[in-house]
Amino acid sequence: MNTEQLRADTPAVAQLIHFNNAGAALMPTPVIEAVTRHIQLEASLGGYEAAGRQAAEVEQVYRSIGRLLNAAPDEIAVIENATRAWDMAFYSLPLQPGDVLLTSATEYAGNYIAYLQLKQQRGIEIRIIANDEHGRVSLSALQQMLEDDRVALISLPVIATNGGPVQPIEQIGALARAAGVLYLLDACQGAGQMPLDVQKIGCHMLTATSRKYLRGPRGMGFLYIEKALCQKLEPVFLDLHAASLQSADSYTVRADARRFENWECNVAAKLGLGAAVEYALAQGIEPMWLRIQQLADYLRQHLGQIPGFTLQDPPMNRSGIVTFSHRQHSAAQVQQWLAGQDKRINVSTSTFRSTLLDMQHRDLLEVSRASLHAYNTETEIDAMIAALQALPRL
Ligand SMILES: Cc1ncc(COP(=O)(O)O)c(C=O)c1O
């Protein structure tokens, strides 16, 4: 992995320090070019004609995502964001009254709302897997919970939106498979940040977004669904891309994972997502993951020494998402301070609204979130540390 090349491919690093990769990362030049090239093509040929011209490139997007996840291209659906990709899988599952769903305290509130909706509408039961001493889901607790044969689904995020530990996704997969329980993995913060191999993980479904660690454009996401399950699940919504009308009384649903897509989509962004995946694969996910972890630990080491700041990350199994709080200043004030004047340092805030259970459990209302990518540098981190040291006292 070549950091200089990564930075040369990221024009905005000349003007700002971007530590909001868990929000939306900076797109590298090949992604920007793929998107703008297609917009130009649409402007000069017409939208349908441009899509026709680029049909082979669009097909390539599925192969690229397949390579990223070690899945077959026909197990991939490209959908407008991670939430809709996840919804299409989750709401299509034949969950019945009394079925039990297991999730982690780190669950994304958007997913949890869907659990509550199915609890109200279909009478499913939600159970939270206890944490182990490192803040990850406890595998022994999970194993015990799986003894109840009403458990129908394990569904959790690999990395939470507010940081926290990287979950033991492969061990969870082994337990799910042994118990014959479906496993839905929200890899929104994992894709592009860490290696994800669905064969090793053993998940039946996995969802992710384009704009975060994959560095693709906004408004794109995808679903992986294992072939055998895909063919058994009828999507909750169908259109004439997902299905075809056979007569006034009958339709057939297409065989591949694209049954979970809908027809109209942002082709430029789809090609941008494909370019982002190819770019990430060319850099090497494993070396980027190592670099991201090193940078995050460098930031934690220095942050931990500034009076007034408290690190909020777990001691082990940490990712590139660094979270912290200040004794006096709110997360919004820290964000404004870092962005202000000539500093131009982007961090974000993560509030209890996005990870209610975890934040309640840890008695936190909000945290500052600095999420690092492989194109960031120690020098940028030093600039952030210096800016935080200069934070005025209230
Ligand atoms: C863990 C997790 N899941 C799901 C989502 C939703 O992704 P999207 O905004 O692409 O729908 C996010 C976004 O922050 C997230 O962090």
Side-chain angles (χ1 to χ4, degrees), residues 104-110 112-113 116 161-162 351-365:
S104 63
T106 56
E107 182 56 291
Y108 184 60
Y112 198 86
I113 289 169
L116 283 179
T161 200
N162 63 339
T351 75
F352 69 98
R353 282 185 202 83
S354 22
T355 39
L356 184 85
L357 303 185
D358 177 62
M359 296 290 262
Q360 273 182 341
H361 185 67
R362 295 197 284 149
D363 205 13
L364 290 169
L365 286 176

Side-chain angles (χ1 to χ4, degrees), residues 22 81-83 108 111 157 159-161 186 188-189 209 211-212:
N81 53 58
T83 300
Y108 184 60
N111 299 346
I159 300 169
T161 200
D186 174 348
C188 207
Q189 297 292 359
T209 202
R211 72 181 183 282
K212 298 182 187 287

